[in-house]
């Protein structure tokens, strides 16, 4: 159905374009050109005005002849670091990796390529299709910032397929977490570490005690907590006055995320007060949890497409956020589908031509049924 050689060549071409979060300009220009050539009405929004960026989200609409509401297909343009100077290496068995010095960028170029190949096949073969909307977003990797500021009044679709998931093609995530980031700034009192340490209040020690007083790791089947950054101190011979902790809470239950955040704040404040230190505790939402019922039409259509192609389906919950979290918040019933990315966010990231082809065929079937 789709063109395997073209998929491979397109993927390798896009990999060579640097597209770190908030630096997606070149990628956006290429994708705007492609969508225009495919007959889409294309616009770029002003997401860049909200951030230190020069690129907006790319939206396209293509009128279809088949009945039914438009369907939205989405993937993100940005990659994590290290992502400068990426090179795709295609092995004889069809595996595609980077040269080992960078990420590959299959997250999320595998999704981008599947959408493009499905659209090219439709145009090439003159296939009838539903009205199609495409959204290529910026800054997904930094807590879905691009889709957060998108104007959803533009979207006509009620259903969405977000191509941005690891695992075998045929897998779809129907449930995703709330993610809360927290920052705790402990302020103690500086003193000379040799002459008068007892006159100081050791902010790092207070923060360390606070960390050991909270639950970390997997709290339960639905919830995780992690402190990932500790910053503090000025010199070896100064009792540190300041220490900053940064962490996150994820849970498939929105209520559990809020509860855990409240408990952490209470423990941190108690520990600071115990030692005479001050504390500032701030939180922000990275995404909001959702769950899509298997009986929703968006799931049934995915199941039918995979069945028609002989691809086994598997429905999961994911602890990763995606643009779909923002779609659901804005009244669009979406699911996230696997698109051939593996070991993402590492220099060991890889994809396989077979998986790129399968995902392209699923996307094509969803557009034409």
């Amino acid at each position: 159905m789709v063109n395997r050689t073209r998929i491979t060549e397109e993927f390798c071409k896009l990999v060579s374009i640097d597209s770190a979060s908030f630096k997606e300009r070149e990628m956006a220009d290429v994708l705007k050109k492609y969508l225009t050539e495919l007959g889409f009405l294309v616009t770029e929004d002003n997401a860049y005005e909200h951030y230190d960026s020069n690129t907006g989200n790319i939206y396209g609409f293509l009128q279809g002849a088949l009945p039914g509401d438009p369907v939205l297909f989405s993937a993100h343009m940005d990659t994590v670091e290290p992502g400068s100077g990426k090179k795709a290496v295609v092995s004889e068995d069809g595996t595609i990796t980077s040269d080992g010095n960078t990420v590959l960028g299959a997250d999320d170029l595998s999704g981008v390529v599947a959408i493009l190949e499905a659209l090219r096949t439709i145009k090439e073969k003159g296939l009838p299709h539903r009205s199609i909307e495409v959204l290529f977003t910026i800054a997904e990797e930094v807590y879905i910032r691009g889709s957060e500021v998108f104007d959803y009044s533009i979207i006509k679709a009620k259903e969405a397929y977000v191509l941005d998931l690891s695992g075998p093609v045929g897998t779809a995530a129907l449930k995703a977490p709330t993610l809360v980031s927290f920052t705790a700034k402990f302020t103690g009192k500086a003193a000379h570490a040799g002459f008068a340490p007892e006159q100081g209040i050791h902010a790092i020690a207070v923060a360390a005690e606070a960390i050991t007083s909270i639950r970390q790791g997997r709290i339960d089947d639905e919830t995780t907590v992690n402190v990932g950054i500790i910053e503090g101190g000025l010199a070896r011979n100064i009792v540190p006055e300041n220490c900053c902790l940064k962490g996150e809470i994820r849970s498939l239950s929105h209520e559990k995320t809020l509860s855990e955040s409240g408990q952490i704040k209470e423990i941190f404040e108690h520990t600071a007060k115990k030692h005479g230190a001050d504390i500032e505790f701030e939180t922000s939402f990275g995404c909001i949890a959702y769950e899509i019922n298997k009986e929703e039409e968006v799931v049934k259509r995915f199941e039918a497409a995979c069945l028609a192609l002989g691809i086994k389906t598997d429905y999961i919950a994911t602890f990763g956020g995606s643009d779909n979290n923002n779609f659901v918040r804005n009244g669009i019933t979406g699911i996230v589908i696997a698109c051939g990315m593996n070991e993402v966010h590492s220099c060991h990231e890889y994809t396989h031509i077979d998986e790129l082809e399968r995902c392209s065929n699923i996307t094509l079937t969803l557009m034409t049924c």
Side-chain angles (χ1 to χ4, degrees):
M1 295 173 67
V2 296
N3 188 319
R4 181 183 177 92
T5 300
R6 183 169 58 195
I7 290 170
T8 307
E9 292 175 350
E10 187 69 75
F11 181 83
C12 293
K13 177 181 177 180
L14 293 181
V15 163
S16 69
I17 300 174
D18 292 345
S19 188
S21 301
F22 300 120
K23 299 177 182 178
E24 303 96 340
R25 181 72 268 153
E26 184 179 355
M27 182 68 73
D29 288 342
V30 170
L31 296 182
K32 286 170 69 175
K33 178 176 179 289
Y34 286 167
L35 289 178
T36 301
E37 291 172 349
L38 287 163
F40 278 76
L41 297 174
V42 182
T43 59
E44 179 176 348
D45 73 5
N46 65 344
Y48 55 86
E49 294 181 358
H50 298 265
Y51 310 111
D52 183 16
S53 172
N54 62 358
T55 316
N57 299 301
I58 307 304
Y59 168 79
F61 177 81
L62 181 66
Q63 183 66 46
L66 294 180
D69 293 322
V71 182
L72 174 63
F73 295 85
S74 182
H76 62 85
M77 295 185 284
D78 60 320
T79 63
V80 297
E81 296 287 10
S84 297
K86 303 188 306 301
K87 297 177 182 177
V89 179
V90 183
S91 300
E92 289 186 4
D93 67 356
T95 302
I96 307 177
T97 65
S98 72
D99 63 6
N101 295 311
T102 68
V103 297
L104 174 62
D107 181 7
D108 189 21
L109 291 176
S110 58
V112 171
V113 168
I115 293 171
L116 292 175
E117 178 57 28
L119 293 170
R120 288 195 175 112
T121 303
I122 286 173
K123 183 176 182 180
E124 186 176 79
K125 299 185 178 181
L127 300 176
H129 58 85
R130 298 271 290 270
S131 289
I132 298 167
E133 293 179 279
V134 170
L135 182 61
F136 292 131
T137 60
I138 68 166
E140 189 276 345
E141 296 290 7
V142 283
Y143 296 127
I144 55 178
R145 293 307 182 214
S147 60
E148 182 177 41
V149 298
F150 184 73
D151 179 8
Y152 287 91
S153 67
I154 297 171
I155 299 293
K156 304 172 180 64
K158 298 177 183 178
E159 301 173 0
Y161 295 97
V162 179
L163 286 73
D164 188 18
L165 185 67
S166 296
V169 170
T171 304
L174 307 186
K175 192 173 184 179
T178 288
L179 191 156
V180 169
S181 298
F182 62 84
T183 301
K185 297 179 180 178
F186 292 85
T187 303
K189 182 181 178 183
H192 194 290
F195 291 107
E198 65 280 348
Q199 294 180 13
I201 299 175
H202 201 295
I204 294 177
V206 176
E209 182 178 329
I211 291 174
T212 58
S213 299
I214 66 171
R215 301 186 296 175
Q216 284 199 80
R218 192 169 300 282
I219 305 306
D220 58 34
D221 290 342
E222 295 185 310
T223 313
T224 63
V225 175
N226 186 64
V227 175
I229 298 175
I230 303 175
E231 302 170 322
L234 294 175
R236 300 186 189 200
N237 60 351
I238 301 175
V239 173
E241 183 175 18
N242 299 296
C243 185
C244 180
L245 307 180
K246 297 180 181 180
E248 66 164 37
I249 307 159
R250 298 182 188 225
S251 182
L252 297 173
S253 164
H254 183 69
E255 292 71 23
K256 284 185 179 180
T257 311
L258 299 180
S259 175
E260 199 67 31
S261 175
Q263 291 179 45
I264 290 172
K265 179 182 179 182
E266 184 178 333
I267 291 169
F268 281 11
E269 289 177 340
H270 173 78
T271 306
K273 183 178 180 180
K274 172 182 171 183
H275 294 283
D278 294 323
I279 183 174
E280 296 178 22
F281 189 86
E282 300 176 349
T283 60
S284 62
F285 286 104
C287 56
I288 306 297
Y290 68 85
E291 183 172 7
I292 305 301
N293 193 295
K294 281 187 178 181
E295 297 305 310
E296 292 284 355
E297 188 63 26
V298 68
V299 182
K300 290 182 177 180
R301 292 182 68 242
F302 177 74
E303 179 77 27
C306 290
L307 180 63
L309 294 166
I311 297 173
K312 180 182 178 182
T313 55
D314 185 24
Y315 300 108
I316 66 169
T318 175
F319 271 86
S322 75
D323 289 322
N324 198 48
N325 288 75
N326 283 332
F327 293 173
V328 174
R329 285 181 67 192
N330 285 276
I332 302 168
T333 305
I335 63 174
V336 189
I337 65 175
C339 49
M341 57 173 77
N342 301 280
E343 296 192 34
V344 299
H345 295 200
S346 80
C347 294
H348 303 292
E349 184 182 13
Y350 70 94
T351 188
H352 195 284
I353 298 172
D354 290 349
E355 289 285 78
L356 295 176
E357 184 178 15
R358 289 188 192 101
C359 185
S360 298
N361 276 322
I362 291 174
T363 306
L364 174 62
T365 304
L366 290 170
M367 290 178 176
T368 55
C369 66

